[in-house]
Amino acid sequence: MKHTTPAAEDYLKTIYAHTEWQPSPITPSVLAARLGVAPSSVTEMVKKLAAGGLIEHVPYGPLTLTRAGFLRATAVVRRHRLIETWLVREMGYDWHEVHDEAEVLEHSISDRLLAAIDDRLGHPSADPHGDPIPAEDGTLARPAAVLLAEAAPGHVGEVVRISDRDPDILRDLAVDRVGPGTRLTVLEPGAVRLPGGGIRRLSTAAARSIWLTA
């Protein structure tokens, strides 16, 4: 990740994450909203990233990563998700607490420490939220999945991934021990049957944060 600033890495990671679980590329306006910055700031950074060969962009069009940009982005994502896993497994953090910590640490730890963390954890393939951890070459295994909000009534699947964007949703789901690997039956939009037979109501935001095996 040489020659990229923390700000540039955050842009690349956000562009990558936007299309990780759905196909539509991100637009500059959505990128600005995700990062909480002014559109003018996005315009300037997009120019720098395009000049550096890290993204492809036409005026007013969506943003896509080049191969070089993809590799930079997945390297940052790898750091972030390994750190989150380390914080939960080794440091006593809850899964709703680790995102912000990893946002800071991903830019500062050395490659040597990252390798030591990976070894210590036994080379995990996914983080505590179910997001796959890219290998050093950028490859990763992403299972076929369906968004719970879009799953048909009667669909039965295991939780593959839960977005970590909203810690309140993670905290709430933990009450019923809903996490990666939990088997759910979709009853209707916003309602699922838990493994013990109980019925769990879900907000629209929660239903759009959970992916099940297809």
Side-chain angles (χ1 to χ4, degrees):
M1 292 187 296
K2 295 179 180 179
H3 312 306
T4 50
T5 65
E9 291 172 358
D10 285 340
Y11 273 75
L12 294 171
K13 182 180 67 174
T14 303
I15 293 169
Y16 167 83
H18 183 79
T19 55
E20 188 172 14
W21 293 93
Q22 60 83 40
S24 301
I26 196 167
T27 62
S29 61
V30 172
L31 181 59
R34 287 283 173 84
L35 292 170
V37 299
S40 58
S41 297
V42 170
T43 299
E44 288 303 311
M45 181 60 80
V46 164
K47 289 178 181 178
K48 293 177 182 178
L49 295 175
L54 298 174
I55 66 169
E56 295 179 348
H57 173 58
V58 295
Y60 310 108
L63 310 171
T64 57
L65 296 170
T66 63
R67 178 60 181 170
F70 173 83
L71 291 175
R72 293 287 180 88
T74 53
V76 181
V77 168
R78 172 177 169 79
R79 283 171 168 257
H80 184 97
R81 293 176 182 173
L82 278 172
I83 291 168
E84 287 190 331
T85 308
W86 174 63
L87 290 172
V88 169
R89 291 193 192 177
E90 302 286 332
M91 305 304 291
Y93 281 68
D94 287 329
W95 70 336
H96 66 274
E97 299 174 315
V98 296
H99 178 75
D100 289 344
E101 293 280 7
E103 286 286 298
V104 176
L105 292 171
E106 69 191 27
H107 302 298
S108 58
I109 67 169
S110 66
D111 291 340
R112 180 180 179 184
L113 178 54
L114 187 72
I117 290 172
D118 191 26
D119 287 341
R120 172 75 176 180
L121 297 174
H123 311 289
S125 60
D127 74 8
H129 314 104
D131 282 312
I133 298 174
E136 291 185 61
D137 64 359
T139 59
L140 74 167
R142 187 183 305 114
V146 59
L147 192 62
L148 192 152
E150 299 174 356
H155 179 85
V156 180
E158 292 186 358
V159 174
V160 170
R161 180 247 183 181
I162 301 176
S163 171
D164 63 355
R165 189 173 301 162
D166 188 338
D168 289 336
I169 289 176
L170 294 174
R171 189 183 296 110
D172 184 52
L173 291 174
V175 173
D176 285 324
R177 301 180 182 275
V178 175
T182 304
R183 191 172 181 83
L184 300 176
T185 301
V186 178
L187 302 177
E188 60 184 52
V192 296
R193 179 176 291 113
L194 300 171
I199 306 300
R200 168 72 196 232
R201 295 282 173 183
L202 298 168
S203 66
T204 299
R208 298 200 67 81
S209 298
I210 302 171
W211 278 255
L212 303 174
T213 50

